[in-house]
Amino acid sequence: MSSIIFFDIDGTLVTEDERAIIPDSTREAIKKTREKGNITFINSGRTAFNISPRVKELGFDGYICGCGTYIEYNGDVILSSTIEKKKCREIAELMRECNVTPVYEHSEGYFFDDKAPMTDGLKYFMEVFVDSGIDVTGRVEDNNFGFDKFVIWVNPKSDMEKFRKEIGKDFSIIDRGDGFFENVPLGFSKATGIQHILNKLNIPIENAYAIGDSANDLPMLEAVPNSIAMGGAEVIYPYVSYITTPIEENGIANALSHFGLI
C-alpha cells in the first residue's frame, strides 16, 4: 500500500531566509517518492493562496492549508471552512478594542486593518508579501472581508486579558514568540487535516509520515507514528521518531531514504 508524506514549507522544503532555496536533492526526492507510488501533501499554516508556485512545482497530490481549515486533493477542494461574515466583523471590532495588530487570512487573500498599530512584524510581512507579488490591498472595510484564521502582533498597550478571554472561546491561541500569536478556529489543526485525509483515502496511520522544523509543526508530527525533524530544529527533537540532516545537507532526501520512501 502507498505511504503518504506530509511536508511543512518554511525551513523544511524551503530555507527560512531571504535566499528561499529549494535544494535540488529535495526536488529529486519528491519526484522519486511519487514515482514509487507514494502520496505527497503540503501541510501548512499558510492559507491556500499563499502557497507559492515554486513550492507547487515540486509536485504534490494535495494541500492542507490554514492549519487544517482548507484541504485540496488532486485539484479538488474537499474541505473549506470560513468564519461566518458577521462573526468576522465582530472579531475585527474586538481586535481594535484589544489594541492588537491583526492580519486576517482567507484561502483567497489577506485583509489588513489600517486602524491597527503598525508593528515591525507587520511591516516585515508586508514587505515580504509585496516582494512575492502578493496582493496587500485587502482591508476590513471591504465588502468581501472574511477569514479562515488570523494572526496578531501585540504591543505594550494591548489588552491581552480581554483578547484571551474572548478569542479563547472559539479559537486555539498559539504563541509563536516575540509577541506574535496565531489564532485557529477550535476543531482545526494540522493534525485534524491529516486525519481527514487518512480517512478519505483509507490509508492506515502506520503508513503516514510528517516532516517539520518548528514547534508549530508539533500537532502534525504528533499525529503520525513516523515523525521527522529537520536537522537543526533542536526544539522538536524530543517529539519525533527520526532526525534528518539540515535542509541544505539533503535533509528531505535523507529522511525519505531512511524510511525506504525513495
Side-chain angles (χ1 to χ4, degrees), residues 6 64 68 71 78-80 188 190-202:
F6 299 92
I64 298 171
I71 303 177
I78 61 175
L79 184 152
S80 181
F188 293 94
K190 290 185 176 184
T192 64
I194 286 177
Q195 194 57 57
H196 190 96
I197 287 298
L198 295 182
N199 292 342
K200 179 176 178 60
L201 302 184
N202 197 28

Side-chain angles (χ1 to χ4, degrees), residues 163-165 167-168 171-175 181-184:
F163 174 84
R164 292 183 185 278
K165 178 182 177 182
I167 293 302
F171 290 80
S172 296
I173 302 170
I174 306 166
D175 186 348
F181 295 83
E182 186 173 24
N183 307 283
V184 182

Side-chain angles (χ1 to χ4, degrees), residues 76-243:
D76 295 324
V77 177
I78 61 175
L79 184 152
S80 181
S81 177
T82 296
I83 300 164
E84 191 267 329
K85 292 283 188 181
K86 181 181 178 183
K87 184 68 173 179
C88 288
R89 296 287 177 189
E90 292 173 352
I91 291 172
E93 183 57 37
L94 176 63
M95 293 306 95
R96 290 175 175 177
E97 294 173 6
C98 292
N99 194 38
V100 298
T101 302
V103 174
Y104 301 102
E105 303 172 86
H106 190 274
S107 61
E108 297 179 359
Y110 285 153
F111 293 91
F112 303 87
D113 189 349
D114 290 333
K115 294 185 178 180
M118 176 56 72
T119 67
D120 290 340
L122 176 59
K123 183 178 180 181
Y124 174 75
F125 262 49
M126 294 191 78
E127 288 173 352
V128 171
F129 294 158
V130 170
D131 289 344
S132 302
I134 294 173
D135 184 6
V136 295
T137 62
R139 294 293 184 271
V140 295
E141 290 81 12
D142 296 350
N143 290 332
N144 64 336
F145 171 63
F147 56 93
D148 309 339
K149 60 187 283 282
F150 69 104
V151 298
I152 66 162
W153 288 268
V154 302
N155 63 74
K157 295 183 179 180
S158 296
D159 187 345
M160 289 304 291
E161 181 178 354
K162 183 173 186 177
F163 174 84
R164 292 183 185 278
K165 178 182 177 182
E166 297 301 326
I167 293 302
K169 296 174 183 177
D170 301 301
F171 290 80
S172 296
I173 302 170
I174 306 166
D175 186 348
R176 298 288 299 276
D178 297 323
F180 181 59
F181 295 83
E182 186 173 24
N183 307 283
V184 182
L186 294 175
F188 293 94
S189 69
K190 290 185 176 184
T192 64
I194 286 177
Q195 194 57 57
H196 190 96
I197 287 298
L198 295 182
N199 292 342
K200 179 176 178 60
L201 302 184
N202 197 28
I203 296 175
I205 188 69
E206 59 266 25
N207 285 32
Y209 299 77
I211 309 178
D213 73 299
S214 63
N216 70 317
D217 293 320
L218 285 177
M220 171 178 76
L221 296 169
E222 294 176 336
V224 300
N226 309 298
S227 53
I228 303 161
M230 299 299 292
E234 290 88 353
V235 67
I236 60 173
Y237 284 0
Y239 307 99
V240 299
S241 52
Y242 181 70
I243 300 166

Side-chain angles (χ1 to χ4, degrees), residues 27-84:
R27 300 178 190 276
E28 188 64 21
I30 292 172
K31 179 182 177 182
K32 285 182 177 179
T33 198
R34 296 186 79 205
E35 289 174 346
K36 198 170 181 177
N38 297 319
I39 299 167
T40 57
F41 259 80
I42 288 291
N43 194 348
S44 176
R46 296 187 185 200
T47 48
F49 89 102
N50 196 20
I51 307 297
S52 74
R54 293 179 66 239
V55 170
K56 291 183 176 181
E57 287 168 1
L58 294 174
F60 295 96
D61 299 284
Y63 302 86
I64 298 171
C65 301
C67 293
T69 58
Y70 175 98
I71 303 177
E72 183 180 314
Y73 176 60
N74 279 346
D76 295 324
V77 177
I78 61 175
L79 184 152
S80 181
S81 177
T82 296
I83 300 164
E84 191 267 329

